[in-house]
Amino acid sequence: MKKCSLILLWLVATFASAALFAKTNKFTRAQLSSPVGYWLTIDDKSNKPRAVVRLYMVGKELRGDTMAGLYIPGQSWGPTCEKCIAPWTDKPIHDLTFMWNFFKSGKTWDSTWVDGKIFDVSSKKDIYRSKLWLIDQGKKIKVRGYVFVFYRTQTWNRLTHHEALGYVELMKEQRKKYPFTD
């Protein structure tokens, strides 16, 4: 009887701690160890949310698409990549592949992805060499674009799928409220 009580107590404690873990941590360990997922980009100048990005794997290559472009007063705003260089010319911003060719660093312990390319949708013409790496235990990612010896680094925040869909809905509301500027 004593043994059954101890086992029952252990099971209750295990399930209670698992439930507490699930409420306090939105992401699994596997999610936090990979750049795959949803990310909120932050605008360099205004420090406001700019876009939601989905990073995903195609074989061993990491790629990124836009899910939602968010309105920031004074910045270009439109449904398509007007006046962008080919192959992005007049393509819808939603689901636009703007990151490609990222491969995991050869070091097994390293969370860096290298040799990537990023198309700067804001400039409509610039493509940067790039790399990215996870920080803050996988809750954030640093994305660095290079031109010659100069570089710019952004920090993006990880989102749950539900949060990403919430930003897509916000973008839809903003499209009704704010006229396009492109």
Side-chain angles (χ1 to χ4, degrees):
M1 184 73 168
K2 202 178 210 181
K3 190 174 185 180
C4 284
S5 296
L6 286 173
I7 291 172
L8 183 61
L9 182 62
W10 177 81
L11 285 173
V12 168
T14 300
F15 285 118
S17 64
L20 181 62
F21 177 81
K23 285 188 175 192
T24 58
N25 294 303
K26 298 189 268 187
F27 307 104
T28 66
R29 186 176 298 148
Q31 288 172 313
L32 294 172
S33 66
S34 168
V36 170
Y38 303 96
W39 299 92
L40 180 65
T41 72
I42 307 299
D43 182 69
D44 296 355
K45 296 173 182 95
S46 68
N47 206 31
K48 294 184 186 283
R50 179 65 174 157
V52 175
V53 172
R54 178 179 67 101
L55 298 183
Y56 58 96
M57 299 297 298
V58 176
K60 292 185 177 188
E61 176 189 2
L62 181 70
R63 293 185 187 171
D65 293 349
T66 57
M67 279 187 66
L70 301 171
Y71 176 74
I72 297 176
Q75 295 195 14
S76 65
W77 168 247
T80 62
C81 202
E82 284 186 27
K83 301 176 187 161
C84 289
I85 60 171
W88 298 280
T89 309
D90 297 326
K91 299 280 186 191
I93 295 292
H94 184 72
D95 288 334
L96 185 79
T97 300
F98 75 104
M99 296 174 67
W100 67 98
N101 208 53
F102 286 86
F103 293 93
K104 188 151 178 30
S105 163
K107 302 168 188 149
T108 55
W109 52 268
D110 195 359
S111 65
T112 302
W113 293 72
V114 296
D115 299 328
K117 301 284 185 193
I118 292 185
F119 171 62
D120 183 357
V121 178
S122 297
S123 76
K124 303 181 186 289
K125 61 181 172 55
D126 296 327
I127 298 173
Y128 300 106
R129 291 179 303 117
S130 185
K131 73 176 185 177
L132 55 89
W133 63 98
L134 296 168
I135 63 167
D136 195 15
Q137 298 171 345
K139 294 176 190 156
K140 295 183 182 210
I141 195 168
K142 292 275 190 179
V143 181
R144 180 171 288 171
Y146 295 90
V147 176
F148 302 112
V149 296
F150 304 102
Y151 61 87
R152 184 174 109 203
T153 306
Q154 290 185 343
T155 302
W156 299 352
N157 300 317
R158 188 181 291 274
L159 298 173
T160 65
H161 182 72
H162 181 73
E163 290 169 330
L165 292 177
Y167 279 105
V168 170
E169 289 304 312
L170 174 61
M171 177 194 68
K172 289 176 183 176
E173 291 173 24
Q174 289 177 333
R175 284 187 173 177
K176 292 176 189 173
K177 188 173 180 181
Y178 302 107
F180 293 130
T181 58
D182 278 353

